[in-house]
Amino acid sequence: MFGNLLGKNKKSDSKNDVTQIVARVSKMNLSEMRFYVNNRVTDLAISEDGIVEVLKKLTHIDIESSKRYLQTDDMDSKKKKGFDLVILICKNMHVKAETVELLQEFILVYEELIRAYDTQHKDIYASRLTDAISLAIEGVNRHSELNRKTNVLGS
């Protein structure tokens, strides 16, 4: 009890938090992931690791089904929710360099799916996603610049 107040066992607590996030995100659907990214899940706070896990779920191949989360034969509403979730992640303040790399991987993995959706529905998700990723990169750059200035001033 007092270990938390005194700052002891921080490593084990953070490791437990990450394993809890991984377990929870693996069971989430798109709506639950959106609630999580919007920080509306009361018992699980949003974190950089959580956003990374959401993007890993979207981009990596599932071991059990040997498929990615979004497929060409999925309903259009699922594809739209997935694209909107990625745009929402780009606007989040918990984005870090690893997140940006996964965002770029998302674009590469789903490039054909995005193009097909845009032509079929007259949407512009390709440009919206690239613009959102550019904003995420700018946010990471600003954050690292702020950290650098803080380190210089703190020295």
Side-chain angles (χ1 to χ4, degrees):
M1 179 176 145
F2 292 111
N4 289 338
L5 295 174
L6 298 174
K8 295 182 180 178
N9 297 329
K10 287 287 185 184
K11 289 183 180 179
S12 63
D13 288 344
S14 66
K15 189 173 184 178
N16 289 337
D17 290 343
V18 172
T19 56
Q20 180 186 8
I21 290 170
V22 170
R24 291 283 301 271
V25 169
S26 68
K27 298 174 186 173
M28 289 182 178
N29 60 26
L30 282 171
S31 297
E32 292 168 338
M33 285 187 270
R34 184 178 181 91
F35 285 140
Y36 174 71
V37 171
N38 279 329
N39 204 18
R40 302 231 168 132
V41 177
T42 56
D43 59 336
L44 187 63
I46 183 119
S47 68
E48 294 172 347
D49 295 325
I51 290 179
V52 167
E53 288 303 317
V54 168
L55 283 170
K56 283 182 181 177
K57 182 173 181 175
L58 291 175
T59 56
H60 292 98
I61 296 174
D62 184 28
I63 297 169
E64 296 172 1
S65 65
S66 299
K67 294 182 179 180
R68 297 198 189 275
Y69 193 79
L70 297 175
Q71 298 291 319
T72 55
D73 59 344
D74 284 339
M75 293 179 58
D76 293 337
S77 61
K78 182 177 180 180
K79 294 176 196 174
K80 181 176 174 41
K81 283 182 181 180
F83 300 153
D84 288 335
L85 176 63
V86 171
I87 291 171
L88 184 65
I89 288 171
C90 291
K91 296 176 182 179
N92 196 295
M93 65 183 233
H94 294 285
V95 172
K96 60 182 182 179
E98 184 181 1
T99 310
V100 172
E101 291 172 358
L102 287 169
L103 289 167
Q104 291 170 337
E105 182 180 340
F106 179 88
I107 295 291
L108 293 175
V109 166
Y110 292 114
E111 183 177 14
E112 293 177 21
L113 186 69
I114 294 166
R115 190 177 310 124
Y117 187 87
D118 284 354
T119 56
Q120 185 180 13
H121 296 285
K122 306 287 189 258
D123 261 328
I124 50 170
Y125 273 107
S127 65
R128 287 176 61 195
L129 286 166
T130 54
D131 291 344
I133 290 174
S134 297
L135 287 174
I137 292 170
E138 288 175 19
V140 169
N141 288 338
R142 276 185 272 135
H143 184 61
S144 63
E145 182 69 22
L146 180 64
N147 284 340
R148 187 184 64 77
K149 286 181 180 178
T150 305
N151 289 340
V152 168
L153 293 174
S155 300

